Each structure stands twice: as C-alpha cells, then as structure tokens.
Amino acid sequence: MRAEGVVAGYRRGVRVLDSVDIAVVPGEVVGLAGASGCGKSTLARVLALLMAPWAGSVTIDGQRARGVRYRAPRELRTAIGVVFQQPRLSADPRLTLDEIVAEPLLATGRGRDAEWESELHGRVGLTAELRGRRPHEVSDGQLQRACVARALVLRPRYLVCDEMTAMLDASTTAALVGVVSAEAERGTGVLAVSHDEELLAVWADRVERPWTP
Ligand SMILES: Nc1ncnc2c1ncn2[C@@H]1O[C@H](COP(=O)(O)OP(=O)(O)OP(=O)(O)O)[C@@H](O)[C@H]1O
C-alpha cells in the first residue's frame, strides 16, 4: 500500500498533505506519528480510499487506485480494512455485535460464514454472550473488538488503524494491539496511526513522520 507525492486538503488552496510519500508492505506494522493536526487521519483516509488526493497516487499491490469510496474498484476497496477511533460512530446501533461483524460479508454479497465469524470473534476476544448484544449493551472496548473483527472479516491484505486504541483502557489496548500484530504476522500490512509515540515504539516495526517541516 503506497502513497506517492500525495497532496490533499479540505479547503481550496489549503494543503494538509503536501507531497507525502509512505509505503506499507505485507506483513509489517508501520506507525504513523506526528503532532495533532499534522494530517495523520487525512493520510489514513487517502490510503484507505476514503478521500481523493488532489495530486499524487495511491497504489495497492502495484495497482493504481482510481476513484474513492464506492467508485473505487471493489477488489481494491475490500483489500483494505479500516478501524477508527470511536466505535460508536462506526457501528449501527440497531445491530448485534454478531451482525456488525458480518455486515461486510452481506454488503459484498458473500453471505455469512459461521465458522470464520466464530474464529474472528475468538481472535478479538468476544464471547458468545457478547455477540448477541447491541452497542448500547457493551463497553467501548467490547464494541471496538467487534469493529476490529469487522475490519478483518473480508480477509483484507492491509489494515488502517486510525487511533484504534485512543478510547480504550490499557488491557483492551494490549489485547487489540496483539490481535493486529498477529494479523501482521499472518501477512497483513498495517498502518497504525497514533499520537502515542510510546505505543508505536512497541507496536510498530518502524515509525514514519512523512510531514514537510
Ligand atoms: N473534514 C474536515 N474538514 C475540514 N478540515 C479538516 C477536516 N478534517 C481535518 N481537517 C483539518 O485538516 C488538518 C489535519 O487534520 P487531521 O485530522 O488529518 O490531523 P491529525 O494529525 O490526524 O490530528 P489529530 O492527531 O489531532 O487527530 C487539521 O488542520 C484539520 O483541522
């Protein structure tokens, strides 16, 4: 997963990213660090094909990405799993955790896969009882565990974790960092965005700060 010469922003003429390069290869955890407001989340969105750069390119396994969100080709979109900071903003409150994890399977027409879903619930540490609860009946940490399982359910080749642990206590942070590290050992390339340099020092294989001074 590679960004080259990426220029991006929100307001005309105001560049948040000014010719930024970064690459994540399969099996490695790359930390993305930097001061608040420097553009970490913006770069994460561009790499996750959620936001179009003004200039430069994003390539996934050598294939140049054109179009973002539902305009991006499905094989590129589904190659990247994304976990955000606030699980409550990204989970449908009407669904059970079980249904939240399965959502991408249904959205892509693949249908449910009981064995794989159970394995994922096990990996992220969700019990059968928790699987039947809805977001308002679980903690932020339990909901974030479901969001990590959802990000993995389509077997993505890359994972973008944008401040994945910022809302969590130390033990849930350690558990989910462990889950993502295990995915990297299985060959997934991970971009771990965090303002927490101490966390990145233990989690990431290398830490990048690709900002123009
Ligand atoms: N949706 C948006 N509309 C307008 N400006 C935005 C938007 N999102 C971010 N920005 C601006 O872009 C700049 C970079 O924001 P971004 O969220 O990428 O930084 P960050 O490094 O992730 O910050 P933090 O560590 O505080 O989350 C900031 O100046 C921010 O105000």
Side-chain angles (χ1 to χ4, degrees), residues 161-177:
C161 304
D162 188 358
E163 299 282 5
M164 174 183 81
T165 62
M167 308 270 289
L168 309 178
D169 65 16
S171 76
T172 313
T173 295
L176 288 183
V177 164

Side-chain angles (χ1 to χ4, degrees), residues 30-113:
V30 176
L32 182 62
S36 177
C38 71
K40 299 184 294 299
S41 293
T42 305
L43 182 55
R45 276 179 218 130
V46 170
L47 280 167
L49 310 183
L50 296 173
M51 176 176 165
W54 292 345
S57 65
V58 174
T59 47
I60 310 297
D61 292 331
Q63 190 179 340
R64 174 134 184 206
R66 294 182 197 282
V68 292
R69 296 180 182 273
Y70 286 97
R71 293 213 179 90
R74 177 176 279 182
E75 76 269 17
L76 290 188
R77 243 189 295 136
T78 56
I80 309 165
V82 192
V83 186
F84 296 103
Q85 176 173 348
Q86 296 185 31
R88 289 192 197 278
L89 295 182
S90 69
D92 186 333
R94 295 167 300 184
L95 303 181
T96 62
L97 300 202
D98 195 51
E99 291 165 338
I100 287 168
V101 172
E103 260 188 305
L105 291 172
L106 300 177
T108 54
R110 289 167 211 212
R112 303 230 12 198
D113 179 341

